[in-house]
Every structure is written in structure tokens, then in C-alpha cells.
Amino acid sequence: MEVSVEQLVYIRDDEYTVARVSADGQGAFVAAGRPLAGVQPGETLRLDGDWDDHPRHGRRLKVTACERVVPSTVRAIQLYLGSGLIRGIGPRLAHAIVSQFGERALTVIDREPARLREVVNIGPVRQAQIVEAWQEQKAIAALMVTLQGFGVSPLLAAKIYQVFGADSEKVLAEDPYQLIGRVRGVAFATADRVALRSGVPETSPQRVKAAVLDRLDAAASGGGHCFLPAPAAVTQTVELIEQDEELVRQALDALVADRRVVVEARDERRVVYSADIHAREQRLTTQLGRLAQARSTLRLRPYQEDQSLDDDQRAAVTMALTTTLSVLTGGPGCGKSHTVKAIATTVRAMGARITLCAPTGKAAKRLSELTGQPATTIHRMLAHEPDPDALFDETPAHADVIVVDEASMLDLHLATRLTAAIPAGSHLLLVGDADQLPSVGPGNVLADLLRVEPIPRVRLTKVFRQAEGSAIIRAAHRVRTGDVPPLPGGGGFWFEELDDPDAIAERVVHLATVAIPRKQQVDPSQVQVLAPMRMGVAGTAELGRRLQERRNPPADDKPEHWSGARVFRAGDRVMPIRNNYDKGVFNGETGTITRVTPEERLLEVTIDDGDPVTYAFDELDDLTHAYAISVHRAQGSEYPIVVAPLVAESGGIMLRRRLLYTLITRARAWVVLVGQRKALDLAIHRLGHPRNTGLTARLDTLDL
């Protein structure tokens, strides 16, 4: 049966797709099945399947086979051209093209593109855009067929084409391992499936080397490790590809010779780094040593001590003013922000310059609110370019004192960029809670520095009277010491016990969208859902879908676009998850989708307290929905009310004391935990595994 795709209804993570389609003589109906993966509105499909009656969708075709075909009827051609699949053609222009050329419209675009200028409003520039988009769409469609033949998701076709263009088919045929690290969503398993089905031998050195690199990357991205012990690197690779250890060792030696990995001795053992992480760790060590050993350029003048500070806080102010590299740490309610405010006030009173910054936009905004001083993100500070004609260099990183808040979020990459920008003689003060989660990326910079004895540090431990009244802060400190807070709680901290994961998820959604907003008299936007896991019924992905359905359901007046299993529609709350200096957006900021334009294949996001930013449909991997986010992504942010599920399914792999402590401290007024008591106990009593990093050992070799 030949049908036209009218609308995508639903896509699951396993690519099971539900679409509303239409066929001459059949009218509109729903088709569903995994063979529909990757289809887009406007496409013409040839489907095989079996009919049944669905309680929600009515008459439904359960698809067993799907083939893309060129639309042949005037209606199908107009739907195809007007759907946004061909960038630059919207419904009006599609109607004009079909009115001019009828059933030959696609033939004209493909074989006689110059004739497009016979259509009103198509000049040379638009003609070229249409032809380019047409050729790209043809190539992607062909690539989807190729990928399906390899048993690989056709949803990757557009991403592969975006990177390799016309060479995509050649890369798949000759060296699919090139996809790893260059195409988002392609890990070793996917590239390996293509390679093996293309005839690459299981013992190919190319394959074994790719597997070694994959294990190093998985250790960095999944566990934050900078290196793997050599025996672990070999064992994990052997388990991945089921080959002899000797082959893996030979591949490791070849990678060392190619300078793609580095093997070095550490505590009488051999450890394996990727070349990039090894180089960054060495550079960070050198740069921290340069800052610590430099002679201060700050002219210390007499200043009035802040009498509201306690002895430890005064010691922290003195440390920041007299040492070029130092650390201030402490838990919630212990006065870190008040101390930073005192430091900033003192530096400015001395006539010197200070820059306050944090890893994310929300953390910077919160720092500014707590201190009453201007603050920026580290990324914006580093992106700042001074005016070459200016008499003085006003680069924020060239201030006399640079204070970095939420320093536990600093990974190896950002810390290396930060320290490289700071001139010798400036003072760098890292401020953070050492008991919070470490960075998302590789490294554990704050904790590593606290293990280097010569680096000055002050730990604030006194919980001030105002903070003592907060049930959130009391609960956080009990969790930090491995104790269970009083349950069910009250006055800001609450634990609601449920056992069934699906019931937990539904209760979280109801609390966030109905119960709490009604009781607290707040808008649902003031309630943030956090979750330890991404997958599972109580993970961020499924919770996000349910919250989106309630807070921003589909409507005829809301344009939308499906990207994989995610639908982006006007009104959605979203969060950039990658820094983009060209757009001026950074990881951790939040915004609202204010416009979706299918014919231009673009959507517009208005960043909170910022400007509108445009994303092409092929850039949507840079965005995630912000209805339910991971605790890691919430780090550095604070929300009026936090609701979170606690589920021990799959062993509760992410449940750790640091994660629960960080989760609780993200809330300002209320934190509500919903879930299993065994999951709460697991989170409180389970300590995380230490990260494999070499920064402390390298700094210990320097004369600090």
C-alpha cells in the first residue's frame, strides 16, 4: 500500500514509530512499527502489514515492511514539497511549484532545475538553495537505505551526511570506525556492526585499535576517568571484542607509536591515557604551577575587616588577597558566598579589579544575587576579546583577582582553558563544595587540588544561624555524614514513600504539575524535576515526555518537529547541552522555543535573560528538554522547588551519597523525594568510586 505521511504521532527510544498517514481510497489512518523509523511528514511510503483495532488510534496498520518511494500524485508531491523536507520550500511555494509543473514537479527539480525560475518568487539564489537541499535529501534517503542494510538506525543518516557529505557512503564502505567521535550517536558498537557486515575481519588491527580507544573514551565520558590502568584497558577491550589479549596489547603498542595514546608509570603500575587527555592534564599542571609560583601583582593596601565574618571567613579573605592560588570550600549555609562578597568588596576598595565567574549561566546569576556583585560564566569570560585599539587590556581573565564559584564542576578541559587565560601574578581563588558531585567531564580538579598540601585552603564548617533553620540544609548535612534525615520530614524537606516505579513516576509528574503548584500557589515553572537516571520509567527521558504532555501538549497552532524520539514544539522549555560560541549560548542555560519553521528547517530559542538563538534541525542534538533533567545538569543551579524520584531499579547504579547531597542542595524552598526507602538508604550509604586522575601526583612533583 502506498501512503503519504501526514503527521508523526509518537516515537519511542527503540524507534517504534506511530504516524498518521493517508492513502487514496483509504482516507487517513494510523500506521505503527519499528520499520517506520526515520520517516518524516511529507514522505511517500510503500507499506506492508496487518490491520488491527487500537483502543486509542482506532483502525491501525501494524507495519512489517517500509520502503520509501518518490511521490507520484499531485497531492503527494505538494505534501512532500510543503512539509519542510526540502529546505527553502514552504506550503505556499510548494503549491506554486506544483501548479506550474503538476506531476512533473520533482522531475523538473531533479533534471531541469533552471526551469524553477518560471515560478513566481524563485530567483537564482532560491533556485540554487532548492537544488542543493534536494540533492542533500536524496543523498540522505539513499544513506538511510544503506544503514538499514547494515542493521543500523536510519536516524543516523542525516548526522553522518552532515559530517562527511558526499563521502558518506565511501566512509561506510571503507572505514566506518571514522564515525566514532565525529558523528554524535555513533559509538563503537554501531561502527563495528557496519564494519563487520562490510567484511572487516574480527581480528583487524583497525578494529582492535578502535576498541581500545572506545574503552578509554567510555571511561572518560561515563566515569570521569583521565586514564585506565593498563590491565583494565586490556581486559575491557578483550571483553568488548572477544579477541586474544595479545592482539589487544599489539594494538595498544601501535596506538602508542601513532601517538594516539600515552602509557606511563604511576605508583609502580602502568596506566593508559588518550593523547588528548594526557596533554591537557600536563598543561593544567604546568599552568597551575605557573600561577602558584608567580609573584603577586596585587598591591595589598590596608583595608577595613568585615566584622560580620567569623575567624575562618577572615582567614579566607586574607588567603585570597595574599596567595596567587587558593581554595575555599564548605557545605551549604557555611557562608562561602558571604565570604566571596567580602573579598570582592575589599578588592574593589583597594582600587584593584576582581572578576567573579562560574561554570554555568545559572551558577553565575546565583553568585551575583548572593554577593550583590556582577558575575559571568567562565565561557563568556574566556570568549571575551579585548579591543585591540584600547589603551588598557580589560579582559576579565586579566583581573587582579579571579574567583571561580562552583569549582567542583570544573573538568579537565575547562580548567585547562581557564588557567591558560590567567596571567602570572593574578590571584585565582577556587570556591566550591568538595562533597558535591564532581564534573560531568573527565577529571576531579577541585578534589585533586585539595589533596595537594602546599596549596592554601580554608574549609568553612560552621552552619550559620539563619541556615540552621532550613530543613533542606539540615537534611543535606545529615546525608553528607552518611545519616538518614528525619522522615518523612517537614518545613522544606519531604520524603514520600512509594514502591512501584511507574507509580513513583506518575506521582512525581502530578506533584510537579498539579499538587505543588496548587498548594504553594506557584506556577509549574517554579517546580523542577530532577532524576538520578536518564533511562527507565523514572528517568529523565520518560519523565520529560510525561511532563511535556501536561505542560505543553500538542495543538494545531503549535508547530513541532521530531528529532529522533524527541519532539520539539513551540512553548517547550529547553536547555543547551553544548557550548556554542558562535551562537553565544552555553551548557546549562535554559530557554523557551518561541518559533518552529519547518520550511526553513529552523527553530528559535529565546534564552532566559538573553536573546533569541536559531538552531537548524540538524543541530538539535545540542538541545535537551528541561522539564526533567539529571542532577549533574542541575549542578550550579538552584530552584525554588525540586521534586525527584528515587528508584533502585537496575541496581540504582547512579545512586550515590554525593548525588543525593547535590540533589537536595539544588532546592531553595522545598525538596520532595518520592520513591523507595531502600533507594534512599542506598543513596545515603553508598560512596562513589574514586576517579583515575593524575593531577595530584603531577602537582606533588612541583615546588609549590
Side-chain angles (χ1 to χ4, degrees), residues 411-435:
D411 65 8
L412 188 63
H413 305 297
L414 185 55
T416 303
R417 291 191 61 228
L418 169 69
T419 53
I422 300 174
S426 291
H427 292 216
L428 173 61
L429 172 65
L430 300 178
V431 181
D433 186 344
D435 293 310

Side-chain angles (χ1 to χ4, degrees), residues 290-540:
R290 172 180 61 85
L291 295 176
Q293 295 164 348
R295 183 176 180 179
S296 172
T297 58
L298 178 65
R299 295 183 179 180
L300 192 60
R301 301 173 185 174
Y303 61 91
Q304 185 71 36
E305 286 192 347
D306 188 335
Q307 296 304 308
S308 67
L309 303 179
D310 70 4
D311 290 344
D312 286 340
Q313 290 174 313
R314 289 194 189 95
V317 173
T318 301
M319 175 183 70
L321 298 177
T322 57
T323 61
T324 52
L325 176 64
S326 58
V327 179
L328 172 62
T329 187
C334 293
K336 296 192 300 297
S337 298
H338 187 60
T339 305
V340 170
K341 180 179 181 180
I343 292 169
T345 300
T346 302
V347 171
R348 290 196 170 99
M350 293 166 55
R353 290 182 301 150
I354 185 168
T355 293
L356 305 183
C357 59
T360 67
K362 283 199 171 184
K365 183 178 180 181
R366 182 167 170 245
L367 176 63
S368 181
E369 291 170 348
L370 291 172
T371 63
Q373 306 284 348
T376 185
T377 65
I378 297 173
H379 304 289
R380 292 188 189 280
M381 180 182 76
L382 297 178
H384 177 86
E385 293 293 337
D387 182 352
D389 298 322
L391 294 175
F392 302 101
D393 182 2
E394 294 296 328
T395 302
H398 288 196
D400 299 289
V401 178
I402 297 96
V403 178
V404 180
D405 196 21
E406 297 289 352
S408 62
M409 298 176 67
L410 283 177
D411 65 8
L412 188 63
H413 305 297
L414 185 55
T416 303
R417 291 191 61 228
L418 169 69
T419 53
I422 300 174
S426 291
H427 292 216
L428 173 61
L429 172 65
L430 300 178
V431 181
D433 186 344
D435 293 310
Q436 283 195 24
L437 283 170
S439 58
V440 176
N444 199 1
V445 176
L446 181 65
D448 285 350
L449 290 177
L450 287 171
R451 285 193 287 268
V452 181
E453 288 300 325
I455 294 178
R457 82 286 307 277
V458 169
R459 176 184 283 273
L460 303 179
T461 57
K462 176 184 176 182
V463 179
F464 286 88
R465 185 178 304 169
Q466 184 177 0
E468 282 181 338
S470 166
I472 293 173
I473 289 178
R474 292 198 303 271
H477 281 285
R478 285 187 66 87
V479 168
R480 182 181 63 81
T481 56
D483 298 314
V484 178
L487 300 179
F493 172 85
W494 188 262
F495 175 71
E496 181 173 328
E497 187 171 357
L498 287 175
D499 191 60
D500 178 62
D502 192 70
I504 291 168
E506 193 54 40
R507 180 60 175 163
V508 165
V509 171
H510 179 73
L511 284 169
T513 57
V514 179
I516 290 176
R518 185 165 53 202
K519 184 169 184 177
Q520 299 294 325
Q521 297 291 297
V522 298
D523 188 88
S525 63
Q526 299 297 298
V527 184
Q528 180 62 57
V529 172
L530 305 182
M533 305 276 288
R534 180 183 180 276
M535 303 309 294
V537 69
T540 58

Side-chain angles (χ1 to χ4, degrees), residues 138-151:
K138 282 179 59 180
I140 291 173
L143 201 56
M144 293 176 84
V145 174
T146 301
L147 291 174
Q148 285 178 311
F150 287 127

